[in-house]
Amino acid sequence: MGNRIILNKLSYHGYGALDHIKEVITDEGFQNIVVFTDEYMISSKNIEKVTSKLDELAVDYQYFTDIQSNPTIKNVHDGLAALEAFEADAIIAVGGGSVIDCAKAAAIVHTNPDFEDVRSLEGVADTKHQCTPIIAIPTTAGTAAEVTINYVITDEASKKKMVCVDPNDLPIAAIVDPTMMESMPKELTASTGLDALTHAIEGYITKGAWELTDMFHLKSIELIAKYLEDAVDGKASGFEKMALAQYVAGMGFSNVGLGIVHSMAHPLGAVYNTQHGVANAIILPTVMAYNADVTGEKYREIARVMGVENVDAMSQTEYREAAIQAVKDLAKRVGIPETLDGIVKEEDIDFLAQTALDDACTPGNPKDPTLEDIKELYRSLLSN
């Protein structure tokens, strides 16, 4: 069975990428556009960097902003109603992963009404039609939602994050302009950057990894190690490289899957509304240690691209420890907490662990965990 790669039809990168929005809209002939975004983008007027170009084209558009940081089934239905009421022929999704994920889900149901029950989209859904066209403009350098075939929606009733995988949800165009990311607070820049690092490392060691995706993931790890701190410090060069790094990671993991870092992070968002990048960043080193004995020589290459010296002189145990330590050190330098204290409650661990075990990302982990393994991983990240 051959390996599959699915990417955007078109993408633009770097400072000035926003200038290409008009040609995409003109080439596609879009007339009625719903702009999915969040209230911050509206109140800060950052959205005007996008809508000013729509005004120049004289196309009709309206906003949809009722999107939570962990988007819910209700958010999806409300977004769908906005598309139907406006008779939309396209979506421009301007925001982080939450905004783009909500747009993907609403766009899928818009063209596949048999999946109006959003819960039916969990896992790999057998949709028949490409979603309503999406132009994705990320405002964070972490999720790579603009280039992936995945999205995550929270089922509040069951306190579960549903991971949905569908090639029909891929945005037709990604506009990855660091200008849209420069207003991120330092804390968000750090956590989304570590989210991107998690994508790259998990994608690199997942069961489905192969040479082409390895190339993407290693380059992403290298860029993040070099430039995340510059982005946190507000340097333009840091934002430009992190915007590229997170996209390159998405090119890989979207096609080969992730692992139990994401499986364990997802229920933290559903139960405690924990910011996804923070959860991933805290969990990543611990799960790297858990997976180390089944990763062959890959941790040596992670250590190498993260700047660890003399890795070829190290034993397997030494370079594995060095890779894990390099991740810990980077996370500490950008202010990521080291434990789940204040987030996870001991009485919730059974539920969290079962939910993580059942998560769609778990089968991709290089080591098959048991329920007790995951419980112990959670407990190991608590001080008490």
Side-chain angles (χ1 to χ4, degrees):
M1 180 176 175
N3 295 304
R4 181 186 70 178
I5 292 288
I6 301 177
L7 303 172
N8 300 114
K9 173 182 174 182
L10 182 67
S11 64
Y12 292 98
H13 301 266
Y15 285 101
L18 280 173
D19 294 338
H20 295 279
I21 297 171
K22 291 194 295 183
E23 65 189 77
V24 175
I25 293 171
T26 300
D27 289 348
E28 296 290 341
F30 299 142
Q31 292 295 321
N32 296 337
I33 299 170
V34 176
V35 178
F36 278 57
T37 192
D38 55 44
E39 292 293 347
Y40 171 76
M41 291 299 295
I42 302 291
S43 62
S44 68
K45 298 189 176 181
N46 281 344
I47 195 66
E48 294 176 7
K49 296 173 184 175
V50 176
T51 56
S52 62
K53 301 180 187 305
L54 304 187
D55 293 335
E56 292 172 18
L57 290 174
V59 297
D60 290 331
Y61 66 91
Q62 70 173 28
Y63 295 122
F64 174 70
T65 62
D66 189 12
I67 304 170
Q68 296 175 214
S69 58
N70 290 295
T72 66
I73 291 174
K74 182 180 185 304
N75 295 156
V76 174
H77 282 303
D78 290 345
L80 174 64
L83 295 176
E84 292 174 341
F86 199 60
E87 298 183 355
D89 56 14
I91 295 169
I92 297 179
V94 186
S98 298
V99 168
I100 298 174
D101 280 4
C102 186
K104 286 179 174 180
I108 278 287
V109 180
H110 194 215
T111 57
N112 295 273
D114 290 349
F115 289 84
E116 185 176 8
D117 179 358
V118 177
R119 294 177 182 87
S120 67
L121 293 167
E122 185 176 12
V124 181
D126 186 26
T127 59
K128 304 301 182 186
H129 307 290
Q130 190 70 29
C131 72
T132 300
I134 301 170
I135 301 171
I137 304 175
T139 61
T140 62
T143 68
E146 71 277 7
V147 68
T148 69
I149 60 172
N150 317 312
Y151 58 95
V152 181
I153 302 298
T154 299
D155 181 350
E156 291 184 300
S158 64
K159 295 184 177 180
K160 180 181 182 181
K161 277 195 170 187
M162 302 181 298
V163 179
C164 308
V165 182
D166 189 345
N168 284 328
D169 70 30
L170 188 64
I172 63 164
I175 309 288
V176 188
D177 193 319
T179 302
M180 300 301 294
M181 304 171 183
E182 291 179 339
S183 63
M184 280 192 294
K186 285 188 175 185
E187 295 80 6
L188 186 59
T189 302
S191 63
T192 55
L194 266 296
D195 187 16
L197 183 65
T198 304
H199 291 154
I201 290 176
E202 285 210 288
Y204 183 51
I205 65 173
T206 190
K207 290 175 182 174
W210 60 292
E211 289 87 347
L212 183 55
T213 58
D214 285 355
M215 176 180 69
F216 296 148
H217 291 132
L218 279 176
K219 189 61 181 179
S220 178
I221 296 166
E222 178 185 355
L223 289 170
I224 294 166
K226 286 183 177 179
Y227 294 104
L228 176 56
E229 290 171 89
D230 286 348
V232 171
D233 289 339
K235 296 178 182 177
S237 60
F239 283 113
E240 185 167 34
K241 295 299 186 182
M242 284 302 301
L244 177 61
Q246 61 90 34
Y247 185 92
V248 172
M251 292 169 70
F253 84 81
S254 174
N255 289 285
V256 296
L258 294 164
I260 62 170
V261 178
H262 274 75
S263 303
M264 292 176 64
H266 286 150
L268 303 190
V271 174
Y272 309 115
N273 204 32
T274 306
Q275 204 275 333
H276 180 62
V278 171
N280 276 337
I282 295 170
I283 296 168
L284 176 59
T286 295
V287 170
M288 285 181 70
Y290 171 77
N291 284 327
D293 62 342
V294 296
T295 57
E297 299 177 347
K298 285 198 165 184
Y299 280 27
R300 181 185 63 200
E301 302 313 310
I302 292 172
R304 190 192 309 279
V305 298
M306 291 194 73
V308 177
E309 297 180 353
N310 300 318
V311 292
D312 291 318
M314 293 181 180
S315 68
Q316 188 174 71
T317 297
E318 288 172 335
Y319 65 63
R320 287 174 173 172
E321 290 176 351
I324 296 166
Q325 191 61 49
V327 171
K328 288 181 177 179
D329 290 345
L330 178 59
K332 186 174 182 178
R333 290 197 301 271
V334 297
I336 297 295
E338 296 181 15
T339 73
L340 292 173
D341 293 346
I343 299 175
V344 168
K345 298 177 182 178
E346 172 68 33
E347 60 265 29
D348 293 334
I349 285 181
D350 286 354
F351 174 78
L352 297 174
Q354 186 63 61
T355 304
L357 186 66
D358 296 338
D359 189 271
C361 292
T362 297
N365 200 67
K367 179 188 288 188
D368 293 324
T370 66
L371 182 62
E372 290 305 315
D373 287 341
I374 298 177
K375 288 181 184 179
E376 183 52 37
L377 289 169
Y378 276 126
R379 290 194 176 101
S380 71
L381 284 161
L382 297 174
S383 296
N384 297 325

